[in-house]
Amino acid sequence: MQLSFEPGAFRCGRLAAEFADEWVELVAAARLREGAARSYLTAVKVLLAHVDATMPDAAAASLARGEPDLQRVVADWVRVLPSQRRPGSRTPGWHAGRVRALIARRMEHPGRSVAAGWQGWVDGAVGVRRGSSSELDEFSRADKKKLIRAALVARRATTARIRRGRALAAGGTDPERGGWLAVENLLWALWSDSGACEQIPDRLPPAAQFPAALHKLAPGGVWHSKRHLVQFLLAELFVTALDLHAYRILLMAATGRAPEEITGLTEDDLEFGPHGVTITFTKGRAQVRRRQTFTAESDEAGTLHPAGSRLDAAEIVAELLELNRPLARLAGISPVPLFLRVSRPGAALVARLLTRSRGYAFTDWLRLHGVTVSGPADIRRLRKSTKVEKAIAFRGRISDIADDHSEKTFRGHYAHGTTLRVIAGEVITAAQHRWLDTALAGPTVLDENAAQSLADPQTATVLGLDPAEVEALRSGQLNMGVTDCTDPFASPFGRPGQLCPVAPLRCLECRNAFVLPSNLPQLLLFAEHLQKLALRLTPTHFHTLWGQSRTNLDEVLSSRTAAELAEARRQIAEDGIVLVLPAATRVEFDA
């Protein structure tokens, strides 16, 4: 880890040394990665700079002493932190929290004293808001296809280049015997000895004296320095930082996992079987380890990425192991990390993938391969694209989508995406249309003339009836009590094939219903019962249960003439007609 902390660089050297002790031990004990270790170091340096600038007697400042009053200075630092960042930034909260963690760690050390007043500050609120981040949107479907297509091409080129270089190295010999100006001998030296990248520049003549065979290898036809030649030769044998971006894209698309879970894999996390590989993923921020199996024959893993060349997670990780195992052997690294890169001469031979290093970032890989994407060029958006595809596959069931984190995390980090918003809007719109159609679709009302014309095939066709349904309506076979029904086994209120469970109470809200002149007596009786029910229920309750039925019923009755209504009432009185309702409804009506 290339990080350093020089307490002597600050006036408050004693305080800096105290924080340096805690930082060094925390990095070693927690095995922090470089990014996490750097974040603690940055927070401490920001605090120490504030102490130097605002405390006259900064040289005497110490966590172990009550005088000078360091707590007041730290409280003032926490207060002004937000003003040094953009509104809503999360950095002030991170800085304050990490400094507090280091102080709390020092308080737990039996051999290190801390002033008593710090206990309250450590136990209390940190004193600054956490802030908020601007969540990334997912890659569009088209952008994701372009990324995967370019990554597949880059992967094939990387594999071909390295295998060609290793085959050439196998034909070489020790440069001490075969000469230092033969390409195959230089490759042999680099393949056999981890120290060769420091020896080769010392053994080679100046670049201007290179033979033509060496100059032909240069991208521009001429080598300007021995260092560039060594870098080229290393890339012929081992994976470079830019090469790893393609594998990271492919593995993220094949597995659906986050970038940190992919780049942190080692050979100990892989368990190969006859039909695929089981991978143990570690998510550092959540401190969670999960195992997931990816089969080589099944297409299940391929359903969450664009169509095209199949992404086989087992094949990709096996290839990475093959490419990186010699590099790990030379550097003495075990277990073999999947994401190793060869370093430039003068530094360590190998290092983990540093995606933000100048010239090796994801944006540099995109530029190199001519890939343009809409929105920020951030690899994390690929993970969000997978989450969107999962949401589509599982029809929005959060419990299934959030299978590798909490539902709260899904709502906070993934549910805001553009695609999910569109899907949610479509679901809401469809639901609204469904209920509006159900509410507004009432029965078909036929007067006397229309009922008589049912025998005409043209009229029946306009009404959507076949001859058998017309005959059943005319003979009363489809009478449901209050109305007739064209198909009581296709009710919008029940399952297909089930006899309508709400007839005749909801017939006036059903598109299958037909109101014939013969139904008028039952309709009048039903209107009287609704009137009595309206007196027994609260207006809100009545409107919720019966409002639409009453509206449709009033519309039907208003379309009848006074003579028709009078004739229907006469039939009720003379024939003793009663309302035909299921026995269960009497509890509601008569209780």
Side-chain angles (χ1 to χ4, degrees), residues 29 32 34 65 141 151 171 242 262 269 308 360 377 386 442 455 512 540 562:
L32 295 182
E34 183 170 344
R65 300 173 58 181
R141 193 74 170 164
L242 285 175
I262 296 297
D269 299 318
Y360 302 108
T386 300
N512 291 343
T540 301

Side-chain angles (χ1 to χ4, degrees), residues 226-258:
K226 292 183 279 187
R227 180 174 63 87
H228 289 152
L229 171 62
V230 176
Q231 284 181 324
F232 170 82
L233 295 174
L234 287 172
E236 291 294 297
L237 297 173
F238 308 113
V239 179
T240 67
L242 285 175
D243 294 334
L244 291 175
H245 286 293
Y247 287 95
R248 184 171 59 158
I249 291 170
L250 296 177
L251 269 180
M252 287 183 66
T255 64
R257 314 302 296 200

